[in-house]
Amino acid sequence: MIKLVKFVNERGGKAVIPQLDEPSSDFDSLNTLFETFLKSEMFVTEQIHKIIYVCLENKNYNVHNFMQWYVTEQLEEESVARDLLDKLNIIGNDKTGHYLFDRDIASITAAE
């Protein structure tokens, strides 16, 4: 978000960051949590695509070029969310699998 705010402000705009609702922290299962994660990433991708559409419609190629970083980032984020959900679906109720899944998440966090 800081990257976007800086981009707007450096071009004479005034970035306004609205207050966001607190995300839910109550999930029925681990799968529900990761399904929500994937849906959230898909929503963000959709919003980025809408911005790109407006950029092209208005021939604003500077903003379009800037937004390509977000397009690439979202491809990665959706991929991670899908991979994790797929792993959970394969693991099912296997406790050993959950341990290995937890290690996978730790390695993703460490890589960032």
Side-chain angles (χ1 to χ4, degrees):
M1 182 192 304
I2 293 171
K3 182 177 180 142
L4 184 57
V5 168
K6 186 176 177 183
F7 181 83
V8 169
N9 290 341
E10 285 178 348
R11 281 148 189 82
K14 182 180 178 189
V16 176
I17 304 168
Q19 181 174 346
L20 300 175
D21 295 334
E22 185 173 330
S24 177
S25 61
D26 185 30
F27 296 95
D28 296 338
S29 68
L30 202 51
N31 280 52
T32 303
L33 169 69
F34 281 90
E35 286 167 0
T36 302
F37 171 42
L38 176 58
K39 286 178 187 172
S40 174
E41 292 301 338
M42 292 169 66
F43 174 78
V44 170
T45 299
E46 182 181 314
Q47 299 311 302
I48 290 169
H49 289 172
K50 287 179 181 178
I51 293 170
I52 296 292
Y53 178 80
V54 171
C55 288
L56 292 174
E57 195 173 52
N58 291 295
K59 298 181 182 179
N60 190 332
Y61 302 116
N62 289 329
V63 176
H64 176 267
N65 186 49
F66 172 77
M67 291 302 297
Q68 292 310 302
W69 181 86
Y70 290 94
V71 170
T72 302
E73 187 69 19
Q74 273 312 112
L75 283 171
E76 293 173 19
E77 294 298 325
E78 276 194 41
S79 177
V80 166
R82 278 192 178 86
D83 288 349
L84 291 173
L85 186 56
D86 287 346
K87 285 180 183 181
L88 272 178
N89 288 330
I90 290 168
I91 291 168
N93 293 324
D94 178 22
K95 299 298 179 196
T96 306
H98 285 160
Y99 172 75
L100 295 173
F101 180 79
D102 191 49
R103 283 189 14 199
D104 285 350
I105 296 244
S107 70
I108 290 169
T109 305
E112 293 176 354

